[in-house]
Amino acid sequence: MDLSVVNEALASKSFDKIADICDSLMLQAAAEGVPFRDQWPFALHLLAHIYVDDVNSARFLWKSIPATIKESQPELVAAWKIGQKLWTRDYAGVYEAIRGFDWTQQTQLLVAAFSELYTTRMFALLQSAYSTISIQDAAQFLGMNEDDATNYVLRQGWTVDPTSRMLTVTKQAIVKEQKLDPGKLQRLTEYVFHLEH
């Protein structure tokens, strides 16, 4: 089985494309009747679905993997542990699952990129959901110790009250650019003209 396309996507850090590439290659191999299960990079495939926030596809992939392969690949089980934590919305558990395994060189880049992306997502979630949050809770959501979490959010413009150990969230101004479609403007003009005459 030729997995060079997957390796190229990894080398170019096109992590968002790996899940689709793996899905296509897997379907192609299955359609051609090529035995692929023994050499398939299931852990990488699973992590790629997790990277693009497609936990449903990761779950279905996990269910389709034979038990013998699950038992023989500890990295696959570790990858699924991340998926389980995402599925149950155990935000701190996601970071524990990431740090709780010594990833191979092939998956290490993808896991590190996912961890960074996940921290960004969690920060955006905190920013939209809270006006104030304790340093301890923010650290748990961001998968950092309290000092690192405080420094991270301070760089993002939040403020800290050292006596109450609370962070005040600074909402980012949302800039919405209205795009005026000339066709819509024309129809509106014709409609108003019709009403007046």
Side-chain angles (χ1 to χ4, degrees), residues 130-133 153 157-161 166-171:
Y130 291 91
S131 57
T132 59
I133 186 172
V153 298
W158 292 17
T159 56
V160 64
D161 179 5
M166 294 293 285
L167 297 165
T168 303
V169 176
T170 304
K171 305 282 184 186

Side-chain angles (χ1 to χ4, degrees), residues 121-163:
R121 288 178 189 159
M122 286 298 99
F123 178 77
L125 177 68
L126 293 178
Q127 195 166 28
S128 66
Y130 291 91
S131 57
T132 59
I133 186 172
S134 70
I135 294 174
Q136 181 183 4
D137 289 344
Q140 187 175 8
F141 275 103
L142 297 173
M144 302 174 186
N145 63 43
E146 292 185 8
D147 291 336
D148 290 344
T150 302
N151 290 332
Y152 182 84
V153 298
L154 287 174
R155 285 193 306 269
Q156 307 299 324
W158 292 17
T159 56
V160 64
D161 179 5
T163 54

